[in-house]
Amino acid sequence: YHLDFVENINLLDQIANVVASVEDAQEMSTNLHNAPARFAATSVITVITKGGTNHFHGTAYDFLQNDAVNARNWFSTRVPLERYNLFGANLGGPILKSKLFGFFDYSGLRNGSAVVFNGRVPTVAERGGDFSGQRTIYDPATYNAATGTSAPFQNNQIPTSRFDNFADLWLPNYPAPNTPLTSSNVNYVKNLPTTNHYNEYLARGDWNITAKHTLLATFADNSGLLTKTTVRPNY
């Protein structure tokens, strides 16, 4: 990955370190599998940002999505929340005509959405130790070392007196079922909200030192905030 002729790679995971917004990119080129030997990788993606000119130019934009016209997910009782707002503005122009130019871009994202979670949680009967109609549950206290077998609990029900203290403490972490148990082993459906906010800034300066020499400087910053509100069962 290259941004304005400079290698743009996050050394930790080998992906693009700075991702230019759509509106501050002047051009993009890809060279897949046959990049020249001067590059460190066989495939190269190059992004060139916009720069200033002798005339002022700018853009303001706002891309908006919400759940007002979305269809309900088949597995959900209501339309999941969606508030996607990608907005920004940029401005470029001369600082010294034909000599020094500047360009600045701001891009922001305010994204609040939800996905449908389908899970399996203990039923009211299971919380009381009743597993009738399910797989046979064997009593470990009846294990016979000679035969290598154990006797099943009577009626496939575990007496509450046999509940482990840890189980009593752990069960409250599970929400109660909110839908009948389906053939796909689902009895809990929930819209899980996710919030993703970030602000991105990019500034570029171009200086025509002489007819043969130019200097380009780019500064980019992305201050992201990603939070998730998760209410799924703690398995």
Side-chain angles (χ1 to χ4, degrees):
Y1 298 94
H2 282 237
L3 178 69
D4 286 344
F5 315 108
V6 176
E7 192 173 85
N8 175 33
I9 297 178
N10 187 311
L11 296 179
L12 182 63
D13 48 24
Q14 295 297 299
I15 64 174
N17 193 43
V18 176
V19 180
S21 72
V22 174
E23 293 298 330
D24 68 30
Q26 177 67 34
E27 62 181 85
M28 186 192 76
S29 62
T30 59
N31 195 327
L32 301 180
H33 308 306
N34 59 348
R38 68 177 182 273
F39 295 109
T42 57
S43 298
V44 179
I45 298 176
T46 302
V47 175
I48 306 298
T49 60
K50 294 178 181 178
T53 65
N54 276 329
H55 302 281
F56 285 100
H57 57 90
T59 304
Y61 57 93
D62 187 2
F63 301 104
L64 174 65
Q65 297 178 7
N66 60 48
D67 51 55
V69 293
N70 287 357
R72 178 179 62 84
N73 185 292
W74 177 264
F75 300 101
S76 179
T77 57
R78 60 185 177 87
V79 176
L81 171 71
E82 182 175 24
R83 296 289 188 275
Y84 182 91
N85 193 17
L86 177 63
F87 56 94
N90 55 55
L91 178 66
I95 299 175
L96 293 174
K97 189 173 182 179
S98 300
K99 197 70 175 177
L100 186 63
F101 311 95
F103 176 82
F104 177 80
D105 177 83
Y106 165 77
S107 178
L109 175 67
R110 303 295 182 267
N111 182 17
S113 59
V115 296
V116 179
F117 170 77
N118 300 281
R120 169 71 158 86
V121 296
T123 64
V124 175
E126 291 168 349
R127 288 171 181 265
D130 185 358
F131 291 87
S132 56
Q134 301 188 41
R135 293 181 179 179
T136 302
I137 297 181
Y138 295 89
D139 184 354
T142 64
Y143 177 72
N144 187 325
T147 61
T149 60
S150 299
F153 281 103
Q154 186 176 4
N155 299 323
N156 219 33
Q157 296 183 13
I158 303 173
T160 56
S161 60
R162 298 287 302 279
F163 282 10
D164 187 89
N165 290 333
F166 177 79
D168 290 330
L169 296 172
W170 184 255
L171 272 176
N173 289 315
Y174 288 92
N178 59 9
T179 185
L181 187 63
T182 66
S183 58
S184 57
N185 205 32
V186 172
N187 65 353
Y188 182 79
V189 180
K190 187 73 175 182
N191 288 329
L192 301 180
T194 300
T195 301
N196 186 6
H197 294 172
Y198 75 74
N199 297 300
E200 183 177 87
Y201 307 89
L202 184 139
R204 169 173 164 166
D206 292 85
W207 180 22
N208 292 336
I209 303 173
T210 67
K212 296 183 178 181
H213 299 86
T214 62
L215 179 66
L216 181 155
T218 303
F219 172 81
D221 178 74
N222 187 320
S223 56
L225 171 62
L226 174 62
T227 59
K228 292 185 178 181
T229 303
T230 304
V231 290
R232 71 177 65 188
N234 295 318
Y235 292 121

